[in-house]
Structure formats: structure tokens, C-alpha cells
Amino acid sequence: MPADLQGALEAEASVHLLILPTLDAHGPAGALQRLETHWLAPALQALRTRQLSGIHLLAGTRAYELRRLHLARFWRALMPWTEQMA
């Protein structure tokens, strides 16, 4: 398993990836921060540059989907994904 999204894109091993954040000494906050830094932010950038066609995020009982055309919805207020989960 690659350590980050860039490694997965270079390997081109799979069309779909399942990423499960693991806990360490920093607890859940550290796991979510690593997920954001190493996977979600780069995935958003890869979506903008057309390296990815879409992002599907499953978090607990919620599911989110983001496609390139969704980025053109400039009239919508931006809300961090962490606030949407509340």
C-alpha cells in the first residue's frame, strides 16, 4: 500500500483505493490529520488536474462524492468536510 496518494497514482495499481486511517500516539485527531494531509488534499488537487475522475468518501454512515464538475459550483458556500460530518 502506498504511503500517500502520489505513490498510488504513480503505481497505477488500482482504480479504487480503500484507505483506513490508523491510530497512533496522537489518537483520532492525528489519524484524521494524516488522512487530510496525505490523501484528501492531494486527491482534491488530482481531481482539479484531471488525474482523478472522482472522489468517493465513506465516513461512518455518510457517503460523499466529488466529481470534477462539482468544483464548478462556485455559488455554493464552502464548508470543511469535518463540519459536514457533525
Side-chain angles (χ1 to χ4, degrees):
M1 178 73 181
D4 57 19
L5 181 68
Q6 191 59 39
L9 291 175
E10 289 171 1
E12 295 183 39
S14 177
V15 175
H16 297 90
L17 291 173
L18 175 64
I19 301 145
L20 301 170
T22 55
L23 299 179
D24 61 7
H26 300 290
L32 290 174
Q33 181 62 43
R34 281 192 316 281
L35 178 67
E36 171 80 20
T37 303
H38 296 290
W39 292 96
L40 297 178
L44 182 59
Q45 184 61 32
L47 188 63
R48 287 183 175 131
T49 60
R50 299 181 182 202
Q51 289 179 290
L52 294 178
S53 61
I55 300 169
H56 300 272
L57 176 64
L58 304 174
T61 60
R62 295 184 185 227
Y64 303 92
E65 178 181 15
L66 183 62
R67 299 235 177 242
R68 231 181 117 264
L69 289 177
H70 293 145
L71 298 175
R73 296 179 180 178
F74 58 86
W75 61 89
R76 288 186 152 182
L78 297 177
M79 182 184 302
W81 66 272
T82 53
E83 290 181 21
Q84 293 179 5
M85 293 179 61

